[in-house]
Amino acid sequence: MRSSTRLIACGVFRPALEHLRVEERYPRLCLTYLPSNLHLRPQVLRRRLSETIISAKQRKERILCLYGACFPDIDVFCRQQGVTKVPGLHCFEMLLGSKQYENIINEMPGTYFLERDLILNFDEYCLEPLELHDKEMRKSFFEHYQRIIYLRQPSDPDLLPKANELATFLQLSLEIRDADYSHLKKILNDLF
């Protein structure tokens, strides 16, 4: 008999899960957050997930994985590990809800999304690895984008100045959309 449920989540979801008070709502839930920048190193992410899963299995915990498609075949990986992956391709889809995310993409396919963690760590996650300080590299990566959507979460500090700075740097228009956790809340309710 399993004693609890282990939710392994990307650190991007910490503000949402704290806002939803999942630890209060599900008293037998244990959370493990992995660093959000692991999607930049898919093999390291796979290894860290595997290590966390092994540890949870040793404690006989039921295991849920809250990640998008952050490395190839993550869904297959989770099935092979006997882990339930929360449905969704992107963290932005899970934070907005599938319908709102689809509407945004359909209205303007060239949309680049930012959330708190990416805004605060843009230099480390994007600028340096993609060499965006070089104008030609910036053009190469962002020429098909038309706008940035900053997905603002309730616990965010005032990131509008930094989001504006990034939009100016990337030469894209900026829009702000507020996260809608109702989709994520429903998915978690369905899993418990």
Side-chain angles (χ1 to χ4, degrees):
M1 183 162 178
R2 293 182 172 144
S3 58
S4 60
T5 298
R6 172 72 48 184
L7 177 59
I8 306 167
C10 176
V12 163
F13 293 106
R14 183 185 295 264
L17 296 175
E18 287 175 353
H19 182 81
L20 293 172
R21 298 180 175 187
V22 294
E23 290 178 292
E24 291 173 31
R25 296 179 72 205
Y26 310 109
R28 300 184 67 73
L29 177 68
C30 301
L31 290 166
T32 298
Y33 294 105
L34 296 179
S36 60
N37 65 341
L38 289 179
H39 73 278
L40 297 173
R41 300 184 318 262
Q43 290 306 321
V44 176
L45 173 57
R46 179 187 290 265
R47 180 177 47 77
R48 292 284 303 275
L49 272 175
S50 186
E51 291 167 355
T52 308
I53 290 167
I54 288 167
S55 180
K57 283 182 177 179
Q58 289 170 346
R59 291 186 300 273
K60 307 223 184 302
E61 294 172 325
R62 175 182 175 226
I63 307 165
L64 304 175
C65 181
L66 181 55
Y67 267 90
C70 294
F71 62 80
D73 299 325
I74 190 171
D75 293 297
V76 173
F77 168 82
C78 287
R79 273 195 307 277
Q80 289 172 343
Q81 299 291 323
V83 171
T84 301
K85 184 184 168 299
V86 176
L89 290 175
H90 308 284
C91 55
F92 302 109
E93 176 186 358
M94 294 181 223
L95 294 172
L96 283 166
S98 296
K99 186 172 177 104
Q100 188 178 167
Y101 178 78
E102 280 179 35
N103 289 341
I104 289 169
I105 295 302
N106 289 336
E107 113 192 354
M108 188 178 291
T111 298
Y112 186 75
F113 290 89
L114 292 173
E115 49 69 48
R116 172 173 59 190
D117 200 48
L118 187 52
I119 291 172
L120 293 174
N121 297 290
F122 189 82
D123 288 1
E124 178 188 348
Y125 294 2
C126 298
L127 184 72
E128 295 304 321
L130 300 177
E131 299 180 16
L132 296 179
H133 43 79
D134 180 273
K135 187 176 179 180
E136 290 303 312
M137 292 299 284
R138 213 167 37 247
K139 181 181 177 191
S140 172
F141 280 103
F142 287 92
E143 68 183 334
H144 299 292
Y145 288 103
Q146 299 171 2
R147 69 174 171 182
I148 289 175
I149 287 187
Y150 161 35
L151 181 55
R152 182 172 52 195
Q153 298 185 67
S155 63
D156 282 2
D158 181 12
L159 294 174
L160 196 52
K162 181 70 175 163
N164 273 315
E165 182 184 311
L166 290 173
T168 300
F169 175 70
L170 298 173
Q171 298 182 330
L172 299 170
S173 64
L174 175 67
E175 293 178 31
I176 287 67
R177 301 280 174 103
D178 290 318
D180 176 2
Y181 297 149
S182 59
H183 176 73
L184 183 58
K185 182 178 178 180
K186 181 186 181 321
I187 289 172
L188 293 174
N189 280 340
D190 291 348
L191 291 170
F192 282 95

